[in-house]
Structure formats: structure tokens, C-alpha cells
Amino acid sequence: AQSVTQLDSHVSVSEGTPVLLRCNYSSSYSPSLFWYVQHPNKGLQLLLKYTSAATLVKGINGFEAEFKKSETSFHLTKPSAHMSDAAEYFCVVSDERQAGTALIFGKGTTLSVSS
Amino acid sequence: DAGVTQSPTHLIKTRGQQVTLRCSPKSGHDTVSWYQQALGQGPQFIFQYYEEEERQRGNFPDRFSGHQFPNYSSELNVNALLLGDSALYLCASSSGGAYYYSNQPQHFGDGTRLSIL
């Protein structure tokens, strides 16, 4: 069965420094992987998606993620954090056990950015 | 272009009551999914509707039911409310219809915050 594990529940960085949010996945198939962001009291916004076309995926707002099959990882990075990046981030895998497109979410990583 | 809209934004109910939440998908989308997000947790998949039928279901009891209308909008109904049903309920829409590719991004609404007293 598919699953994702977000390795850090909370990450704190200073503005202008790099961001790394770690995610490992488990899947019997070639997975579809996503990163979503959630700002307080808001819904989820798609940052980027991996669909086997390229292992390095570029998303919105300067974020990117690299799919590493040998390590079963899909870590999210950004070269320089901005205050507006403070939010909850979810690593997500698409459930391929049955027809449909259900998403399986990790528990989330809270990103704090200090000035 | 309106995104996914949900109503109401907040709702307070008591145990044992029934509730209906509503969702209008993004223009051009034909598939609607519902998720439950408990405080401090990631969203959990409840079910997905396409062509007015439940196509996929997560691990939720029968107290959770839904409906999709011909205009693709959807309702989530929860009967016999429990304290543990308190959560943010998120609706997501996507396109692709019968060709349900797992890489289709889903667009989320801002959710309905349900509180059970």
C-alpha cells in the first residue's frame, strides 16, 4: 500500500537561507507524487507534481523537488526562504490501489521563517 | 475563473445531529473528492464522485455519504454526529473524467470547519 512519511514535523529557517523538507514514500508502483502547501485557515495549494517525466520537478514560488527512486525520497527544496513561505507543507502520493485519484497525505511539516 | 467553493465556512452542531456540506468544483472539472482534516493532521480521503456516482471510497463509516449533481457540484452528508467528527472538511475537484490519471492535480477549496459540541 502506498504511504508517505514526512521526516520532520517542524522546520525553522531564517529568511534568505535554504529550505529542505524531507519526504520518503512507499509504493509498489511507479508513484505520482505531489507537494501541497496550506496557509492558516486555508485550503491546499499545489506546489509541484512528479509524474515520471523528469526526476527534478520545478514548482511555483521557487520550490523544486527531486525524485530519487533508489532512496524512495521526494524532498522539497527552495534556495532562499521568504517570510511568506511560513505554512504547513504536505507530501502526497496518489493511491493506485483502485480506480480513481484519491490522495494519501503525510502528516505535514510546519515551516517557520524568522527574520 | 472561480476556483473550488465550499459552504458554509463554519458550522457548529451537537452530537447526534446531521449535517450537509456543499461544494462547487472549479470550472471545467467533473470529479469531486472529499477529505477530512483533523486538527494537526494531514487530510484523509473520504470518497470521490464522478458522473453522479461514488467511484472510490476511503476508510470512513456509512454515516458519511455524498451526492453529485448533474452540474458536478457535490454534497457531503454526515449522520449521527460524533465529537470525533470535528474537523476541517475539504473538497477537491479535478478533470479527466473517465480517464482518471493518478497524476491529475486536485484543486482544493478553503474548507468547512465543523465543530461538534
Side-chain angles (χ1 to χ4, degrees), chain B residues 24-99:
Chain B
S24 292
K26 180 179 170 65
S27 178
H29 286 184
D30 55 14
T31 303
V32 174
S33 302
W34 287 92
Y35 294 81
Q36 180 195 66
Q37 185 178 19
L39 199 61
Q41 301 295 316
Q44 288 194 297
F45 174 72
I46 303 174
F47 43 54
Q48 182 176 87
Y49 277 83
Y50 170 68
E51 288 191 335
E52 303 179 48
E53 291 195 357
E54 183 182 291
R55 177 163 75 180
Q56 191 178 9
R57 188 177 183 93
N59 188 26
F60 278 79
D62 292 344
R63 297 187 298 109
F64 290 77
S65 63
H67 189 76
Q68 186 179 35
F69 299 94
N71 66 353
Y72 308 121
S73 67
S74 177
E75 290 181 348
L76 164 65
N77 301 293
V78 187
N79 295 322
L81 287 167
L82 303 173
L83 292 178
D85 295 332
S86 294
L88 179 68
Y89 288 84
L90 295 163
C91 172
S93 71
S94 57
S95 61
Y99 303 97

